[in-house]
Amino acid sequence: MDVLGRIARAISDALRDPEKLPEALILCGVLEAGAALSLIFFRVPGGVLLHHGDKALVYAYYGVLVAAVVFGIAEAFTGFWVSGDPAGRRTVGVIVLWFSILFVIIIAALGGFSSAPPK
């Protein structure tokens, strides 16, 4: 849970100070992509996703995780782009940062930031 606290502090600091925005974008992007990749490779979907034998929910699960990886990488690159002119590119950076909160919530709900060992 320390990871979620660190992300929340970085986002909070970045929304107040444009100079901290690139750091928050890069940190959140790398952590989102890493957590989603760990779910893809080390966690098998279970529970309601496999309840009825329908594979559509499993494909949606992996589709959301792949989208989170792609968004995390794009967010990190946006952080590098924003670092060139933090004051001028602040609006784009803040919009990307707000969308990243959605992916942080999804990944945390799926167990990407849990400290439980993989099965």
Side-chain angles (χ1 to χ4, degrees):
M1 287 309 211
D2 184 47
V3 173
L4 289 175
R6 188 168 180 199
I7 289 174
R9 277 191 303 276
I11 290 173
S12 174
D13 291 343
L15 293 176
R16 284 185 266 135
D17 185 8
E19 295 297 322
K20 294 183 180 181
L21 185 60
E23 176 187 346
L25 286 167
I26 294 168
L27 173 71
C28 292
V30 169
L31 288 177
E32 284 172 21
L37 281 173
S38 73
L39 282 174
I40 289 171
F41 290 119
F42 300 117
R43 299 279 182 179
V44 177
V48 112
L49 296 175
L50 299 176
H51 182 63
H52 297 292
D54 187 19
K55 297 291 182 188
L57 289 176
V58 175
Y59 294 137
Y61 171 82
Y62 284 116
V64 166
L65 290 176
V66 168
V69 170
V70 170
F71 183 80
I73 293 169
E75 182 180 4
F77 281 119
T78 303
F80 287 114
W81 177 71
V82 168
S83 69
D85 182 19
R89 299 174 181 166
R90 183 174 192 265
T91 304
V92 174
V94 169
I95 290 171
V96 171
L97 199 58
W98 277 108
F99 277 113
S100 76
I101 293 172
L102 172 68
F103 282 106
V104 167
I105 292 170
I106 290 171
I107 292 170
L110 293 175
F113 293 116
S114 70
S115 60
K119 295 180 180 180

